[in-house]
Amino acid sequence: MQFLRRQLPVIIAFVVGLSMWVLFYVPTQKSLELQDGFTLWVRIIVGFAAVLGVLSVVNHHYNKIKAKRPGYAFSFITLGAFLLMALSGFIKAPLPGFAAGNNKPDSLHFWLYNNMMLPMQATMFSILAFFIASAAFRAFRARSMEATVLLVAACVTMLGRVPLGELMKLGDPIFLGGPAPIDFPWWSSWLLNVPNSAAQRGILLGVYLSQIAVAIRIIFGIERTYMGGGD
Amino acid sequence: MSFITGDAAKQRLIPLLLLGALLLLPLAGHGQEAAPPEQGEPAAAGDASAPGTAAEAPPPLELEPLSSPPAAASVSSAAVEDVPNDNGQALGVSFDWAEPAAEGVTVSVELKPDSAILEEFKLSDAEQARLDSAREKLKSDLGSLIADRDAKALEVAAADEARTAAKNVITQTKDYAGLAELERAYWKAKSEMDSLQDRIDGVQNRFAARGGRKLLEKQRKYEYLSAALAAEWLPTDIAGVPAAEVDSRGAHAPLYGREPDNAEQPWLMVSQILAPLPEALAAQAEELHSSYGEDLAPGIPFPLKNGQQYQVRLAFSGPEGSSPALVDAGPGTPRQSFFKSTLASHFIIATLYALIILSAIMLARRNPNLFIRRIAGLEAVDEAIGRATEMGKPVLYLNGMDALSELSTLSAINILGRVSRRIADFDSDLLVPCRDPVVFSVAQEVVKQGYAEQGRPDAFRASNIYFVTDDQFSYTASVCAIMIRERPAANFFMGYYYAESLLLAETGASTGAIQIAGTDSPNQLPFFITTCDYTLIGEELYAASAYLSREPLLLGSLKGQDVGKALMMLLILLQTILFVAQFATGNAAGEPWDWLVKMVEPL
C-alpha cells in the first residue's frame, strides 16, 4: 500500500517526466504518437475527475442545505440550475418552441446557455471596469516616489492611447528624428516597449528557469507535496 | 523515504541517469539534413548513404517533351531532398529558373509513389468479411431513413422559406395567426427531421462500434489510392502555386535551424499526395448515399511515408491553360530525424542547467545551512493564518485557474500543502474552492495529508475543499460570494490567473482580509500588487514551497536556480557584446569571434 501511495507515483513521474523531456527533442513519428498518447491519457483522467467534480458540487450544496448554513437558499438555485441544464442536455423530447434532441442549435439546452449563461458571464466580466477604476484610484495615490512614477507613467500611457493625446504634441524633437518632449503616443509606446517589456522579460526569464527547477524536483522525487505525501 | 535521494544505493542512480542523458548528445548528428545539392547537380534525396536515394542512382535531368503550345517556364535544374528535422513525412523540391518566369505561370509538384504503399490499406479476408457483414447490417438498419431524412430536409427548407417570407411582410398583412401556423409547421417538420437524423446517427454509431467505420475508411483509401496509382503521377498539396509566390529555401530556415546554403533557391515542401475520387466509385455515389448514408470525399490526402521512395516531377503551367511543362526532379525518400538539430543548443543548455540544479541539491545535503533572502509575502503567511485564528474566521485558498498540468498550479498545490500544516497547527478553518476537478481531488488529498502530519486528522473537513465550476466567471462569482458571506480573514491567491484576478482581489480587499497573492502571469501582477498586502512575483511562487519547508534539498534547488540565472545573464551579456562588435566591424565575415556568434545566436 505504501508502495502504491508513495513510490509508484514517484516512479511514474520520473519515467514519464524524463520520457517527455527526451521526446521533445525527437521528431520521429513514434515520438509524436507517444506524445499524443500522453495527451489522450490526460483527457481520459480529466473525464473521470469530472465525475468527482459533479459529485463534489452536489455534495457541497446538499450539506449546506441540510445544515441550513447562511445563504443556503442559493444552494437550491444552484442545484436546480444544475439539474435543469443537465436534463436539457440529456432529454431528447421536443419542447414547444425548441428543437428536438439535445445537441442542436435550437434546443432548450443551447437556448439556456445563450440566453442565461452568456449574459451572466458578460455581467461578471463587465463589473471589471468598475473594479479597475477603484484599484487605479488606490494605486495612483502619489504617496511615495514609486507611486508617483507609476502615476506619471499611467497618465502618459493613457493619454498616448486616446485621440486627445495624439493632438497634444508640443516642442521640437529632442534629437534628430526623435520624439518631441510632449508626444504622448511616442512616449506611451516607448514605456510599453522598453521599460515594461524589459521588466516582463526579466520576470518571465525567472519564471521559466524556476519552472525547469520545479520540473526537475518533481521528476527526481525531491518535491512530493503535490502527492499529498510528506517527507 | 525519498525515491532518489533516500539512500546511498539509490543516489548512484542520479549520475547514471545524467550520463545516459549525455550519451544522447551524439544523436544530434543523426537527424541532420544532407547538404543541399549544388546547382546543376542531379537530385540528392536526403541521406546520401540511404539505399534507393538519388545519391545512389543520380538520374540525369530530363526535360520531358513539351506539348504544344510551348512550355510556360524554363528551368535549368531541379532536385529533391529530405526535409531536415521532421518526422519523415515531407520532401523538399528545389529548382532554378533558367530565365525569369512569365507572368501567370504556376508550379505544381507531382509524385509517383511505389505501388507498395497500397499494402498498408489492403483489407485481409477476415477484415473484408467483417466489413461486408457490418455494411449489410448498416443497410438493413438504415432502411429508408436516409431517403426520409432527405425528403424531410426539403420540407424544412420550404417551411423555413415560407415563414421567413411571412415574417418579412407581417407588418403589412398583420396575419399573425397565419404566421403562427407557418411557425408550427416549420418546427414540426424540423422536429421530425431531427428525430430522423438522431436515428441515423444511432445506426451509424452502432456501425462504427462494430469496427465498420475504420474498416470502411481503410477500404476507401485503398480504392482511391489504387485508382490514382493507375494514373502514375499523383497531385500533391503543392498545386498551382504562382511562380511569384514560390518560397526560397531561406524562408524555411527554421527547419534547418540556421540560414541554409543556397538560401535564395526556389524551394517547395511536399507533405501529402492527393488521391481523387475514382470514377468507378463516383458512379455509385447516389447508391452509397441512399443505402448506407455514405458521402464520398472528392479526394483523400495521404501523408508521405517515411522511408518510401517517390519519383518527383515539377509541372509548370502557363497563363492561358497551355499544357504544362514537365521537369523530372528525380527520386526522393523522406526520412525521419532522430534528433531535432534545431534544438541542439536548447538541449545543451537545458542539460547543463539540470546538472547545475542537481549538483546544488547534492551540495545542499552536505551543507544544509543555506542562506535564502527574505521573501516578505511568505514571512507573512504565519501572520495571516494567526490573524484568521484570532478572529475565528476561515482562511481562503485559491489554486489559480489553470489545470494541474501547469506548473504554476502544481506550485500552488505545493504551497497549499505547507499552508495546510500551519493551519492545522493554528487550528483554523481552511476553505479551498477549486475550478478544476483534478485540482480539487489533489488539493483535498494534500490538505488531508497536511492535517494528518500535524497530528490533527480529526480537524480536517473534506467538505471545505470542493469543486465549484470550471467556468471562469461563474467560479469568480462563487468565490466573491464566499468572501462576502464567510468573510475569511486571510485570502491566498496562488497560481495562474486571468481577467478575474482583479475581481477576486478587489472583493477580498473590500472585506478587509489580509491578502497574499502569488502568480507568474505578468499581466495580472499589477492588479495583485495594487490590491493585495503581499505579492509573490513570478519565480517567488515557485520558490515558496522550498522557502516554507526549509528543506535543504529544496533550498539547494533554489541555489542552483540562482547559478543558472547568473549563467543566463552572462550569456545575454556575451551575446550583446558580440552583436555590438559585429555591428562595429560592419558585419564583416571571417572575424575571429564568428564561431562564437554562431553558437550563441540560436540561444
Side-chain angles (χ1 to χ4, degrees):
Chain A
M1 195 62 189
Q2 192 72 356
F3 172 77
L4 288 178
R5 282 184 63 86
R6 298 287 174 83
Q7 284 164 332
L8 185 65
V10 175
I11 292 170
I12 292 173
F14 177 76
V15 173
V16 175
L18 219 55
S19 309
M20 290 300 278
W21 183 61
V22 172
L23 290 178
F24 179 71
Y25 298 102
V26 180
T28 61
Q29 193 57 31
K30 283 281 170 216
S31 161
L32 297 176
E33 282 167 12
L34 207 52
Q35 288 180 62
D36 287 346
F38 280 124
T39 316
L40 191 65
W41 292 352
V42 169
R43 292 217 311 262
I44 292 168
I45 292 168
V46 169
F48 278 107
V51 178
L52 288 178
V54 169
L55 289 177
S56 169
V57 170
V58 174
N59 191 41
H60 176 74
H61 289 284
Y62 172 73
N63 287 337
K64 206 168 167 183
I65 293 168
K66 200 173 159 193
K68 294 197 171 170
R69 293 214 293 270
Y72 74 95
F74 297 116
S75 293
F76 278 117
I77 296 171
T78 306
L79 287 180
F82 172 75
L83 211 63
L84 180 64
M85 282 302 276
L87 287 177
S88 70
F90 282 119
I91 292 179
K92 290 187 174 182
L95 290 163
F98 296 105
N102 49 6
N103 200 20
K104 303 286 187 312
D106 299 312
S107 66
L108 174 65
H109 187 76
F110 274 75
W111 188 90
L112 286 171
Y113 183 80
N114 290 329
N115 295 284
M116 298 191 80
M117 273 292 286
L118 290 183
M120 286 193 280
Q121 285 174 343
T123 306
M124 277 306 292
F125 190 43
S126 60
I127 294 172
L128 193 59
F130 302 101
F131 278 55
I132 284 180
S134 70
F137 173 74
R138 196 175 317 133
F140 295 161
R141 274 182 297 180
R143 287 173 302 185
S144 62
M145 186 62 193
E146 289 87 350
T148 313
V149 171
L150 184 66
L151 173 65
V152 172
C155 289
V156 170
T157 308
M158 283 191 285
L159 278 168
R161 302 269 145 178
V162 294
L164 181 67
E166 287 178 19
L167 297 173
M168 296 161 68
K169 202 180 228 181
L170 283 175
D172 297 324
I174 300 169
F175 49 84
L176 198 63
I182 296 180
D183 182 351
F184 290 110
W186 195 94
W187 287 110
S188 163
S189 298
W190 182 82
L191 279 170
L192 288 172
N193 295 334
V194 182
N196 184 47
S197 287
Q200 285 212 10
R201 282 177 196 175
I203 290 170
L204 287 175
L205 195 64
V207 166
Y208 297 144
L209 289 175
S210 301
Q211 287 188 338
I212 298 174
V214 172
I216 290 170
R217 294 204 302 245
I218 289 171
I219 287 172
F220 285 91
I222 296 162
E223 175 74 83
R224 282 167 293 136
T225 321
Y226 70 97
M227 289 191 293
D231 310 309
Chain B
M1 285 306 299
S2 172
F3 167 58
I4 295 301
T5 56
D7 53 53
K10 285 171 182 171
Q11 276 181 46
R12 285 185 209 118
L13 194 55
I14 295 174
L16 280 175
L17 289 167
L18 295 174
L19 189 64
L22 286 172
L23 284 173
L24 285 171
L25 277 172
L27 284 174
H30 276 266
Q32 284 177 348
E33 74 285 355
E38 291 297 321
Q39 291 200 6
E41 266 189 12
D47 185 355
S49 63
T53 59
E56 198 175 73
L61 182 68
E62 181 187 327
L63 288 174
E64 292 198 358
L66 301 178
S67 50
S68 57
S74 179
V75 168
S76 65
S77 69
V80 188
E81 65 188 78
D82 183 25
V83 173
N85 296 304
D86 75 335
N87 57 353
Q89 293 189 342
L91 279 173
V93 185
S94 57
F95 60 93
D96 291 298
W97 297 109
E99 58 192 58
E103 202 176 326
V105 169
T106 60
V107 188
S108 302
V109 178
E110 295 174 356
L111 260 59
K112 185 161 73 170
D114 193 280
S115 59
I117 63 166
L118 266 177
E119 290 305 312
E120 187 186 337
F121 306 107
K122 195 168 186 179
L123 292 183
S124 66
D125 291 344
E127 284 177 329
Q128 190 64 56
R130 269 175 57 206
L131 176 62
D132 290 344
S133 148
R135 291 196 79 207
E136 205 52 49
K137 182 92 176 89
L138 173 71
K139 189 178 178 181
S140 69
D141 286 353
L142 281 173
S144 63
L145 281 175
I146 299 285
D148 294 348
R149 190 266 324 263
D150 290 349
K152 198 53 81 177
L154 291 174
E155 200 179 309
V156 169
D160 191 27
E161 204 175 316
R163 71 170 185 157
T164 309
K167 270 182 193 171
N168 290 340
V169 292
I170 191 67
T171 50
Q172 291 143 32
T173 60
K174 310 280 185 197
D175 182 12
Y176 293 103
L179 179 60
E181 187 58 41
L182 288 171
E183 283 282 351
R184 269 195 293 277
Y186 167 77
W187 283 106
K188 185 169 177 288
K190 189 165 185 337
S191 173
E192 285 166 3
M193 187 189 74
D194 288 345
S195 176
L196 283 167
Q197 186 60 51
D198 283 343
R199 287 174 63 192
I200 292 168
D201 290 345
V203 173
Q204 295 280 16
N205 289 342
R206 284 197 292 280
F207 174 66
R210 283 193 288 268
R213 178 76 46 79
K214 273 190 179 173
L215 290 172
L216 183 63
E217 278 173 12
K218 198 173 167 186
Q219 192 187 42
R220 289 285 174 256
K221 281 183 179 175
Y222 183 85
E223 287 166 348
Y224 274 63
L225 197 56
S226 57
L229 284 172
E232 289 200 343
W233 290 96
L234 273 67
T236 64
D237 52 336
I238 301 294
V241 179
E245 290 175 20
V246 173
D247 280 337
S248 65
R249 193 197 306 272
H252 297 271
L255 287 171
Y256 294 83
R258 58 180 167 74
E259 186 70 6
D261 299 332
N262 292 336
E264 295 302 316
Q265 193 179 26
W267 196 84
L268 295 159
M269 190 166 80
V270 189
S271 53
Q272 287 177 343
I273 48 176
L274 303 170
L277 175 62
E279 280 177 21
L281 263 180
Q284 303 170 33
E286 206 166 308
E287 159 69 10
L288 290 171
H289 173 78
S290 58
S291 301
Y292 301 97
E294 185 189 356
D295 295 316
L296 295 167
I300 296 181
F302 291 84
L304 301 196
K305 208 174 162 195
N306 175 46
Q308 173 74 51
Q309 194 184 59
Y310 296 86
Q311 293 290 332
V312 183
R313 76 177 182 188
L314 289 156
F316 297 89
S317 298
E320 289 157 11
S322 56
S323 300
L326 303 170
V327 178
D328 190 359
T333 307
R335 297 203 176 273
Q336 62 185 5
S337 305
F338 290 96
F339 183 81
K340 279 184 193 165
S341 61
T342 48
L343 295 176
S345 53
H346 179 287
F347 179 76
I348 292 166
I349 294 281
T351 309
L352 188 68
Y353 184 56
L355 284 174
I356 290 170
I357 287 178
L358 289 171
S359 311
I361 289 169
M362 280 193 261
L363 284 175
R365 284 172 65 84
R366 288 187 204 153
N367 175 24
N369 301 315
L370 295 171
F371 169 76
I372 299 292
R373 76 173 168 85
R374 188 176 167 275
I375 300 176
L378 297 174
E379 291 290 322
V381 167
D382 282 350
E383 179 197 337
I385 299 170
R387 184 168 178 264
T389 312
E390 281 172 12
M391 292 173 73
K393 299 276 187 185
V395 172
L396 180 72
Y397 191 99
L398 307 184
N399 289 301
M401 306 299 278
D402 274 348
L404 196 66
S405 51
E406 297 300 320
L407 278 167
S408 52
T409 311
L410 265 179
S411 286
I413 289 281
N414 286 336
I415 300 168
L416 173 64
R418 310 291 174 193
V419 168
S420 66
R421 291 178 208 186
R422 303 282 169 95
I423 289 174
D425 276 341
F426 281 80
D427 196 18
S428 193
D429 269 344
L430 173 65
L431 299 175
V432 189
C434 300
R435 191 199 169 189
D436 184 283
V438 182
V439 173
F440 148 71
S441 312
V442 174
Q444 204 169 47
E445 197 60 27
V446 163
V447 175
K448 187 179 176 183
Q449 187 69 29
Y451 274 75
E453 280 179 8
Q454 299 309 108
R456 298 295 315 282
D458 54 310
F460 170 69
R461 286 166 62 184
S463 59
N464 279 357
I465 296 107
Y466 53 95
F467 170 71
V468 179
T469 170
D470 65 352
D471 180 72
Q472 182 186 15
F473 287 107
S474 308
Y475 176 79
T476 309
S478 172
V479 174
C480 289
I482 291 165
M483 287 178 187
I484 289 164
R485 277 203 301 272
E486 308 272 345
R487 298 262 160 189
N491 296 334
F492 288 85
F493 306 112
M494 298 294 171
Y496 202 93
Y497 292 86
Y498 299 88
E500 71 291 331
S501 65
L502 188 62
L503 294 175
L504 295 169
E506 189 68 6
T507 307
S510 72
T511 62
I514 185 167
Q515 303 202 106
I516 301 176
T519 186
D520 56 348
S521 163
N523 293 333
Q524 307 307 324
L525 272 171
F527 297 129
F528 280 134
I529 289 170
T530 307
T531 47
C532 293
D533 299 278
Y534 302 96
T535 305
L536 305 178
I537 298 173
E539 62 187 312
E540 289 176 345
L541 171 70
Y542 296 99
S545 175
Y547 189 93
L548 290 172
S549 69
R550 294 276 162 189
E551 284 171 38
L553 294 183
L554 296 178
L555 291 178
S557 73
L558 296 189
K559 284 287 172 197
Q561 265 174 253
D562 286 346
V563 175
K565 210 184 297 175
L567 198 68
M568 195 60 77
M569 285 159 71
L570 273 175
L571 275 172
I572 291 171
L573 196 66
L574 179 67
Q575 200 174 21
T576 310
I577 292 169
L578 284 170
F579 285 140
V580 170
Q582 215 178 20
F583 180 72
T585 54
N587 290 323
E591 294 292 344
W593 52 72
D594 270 1
W595 65 272
L596 201 54
V597 173
K598 278 185 181 164
M599 197 187 84
V600 175
E601 200 172 24
L603 302 176

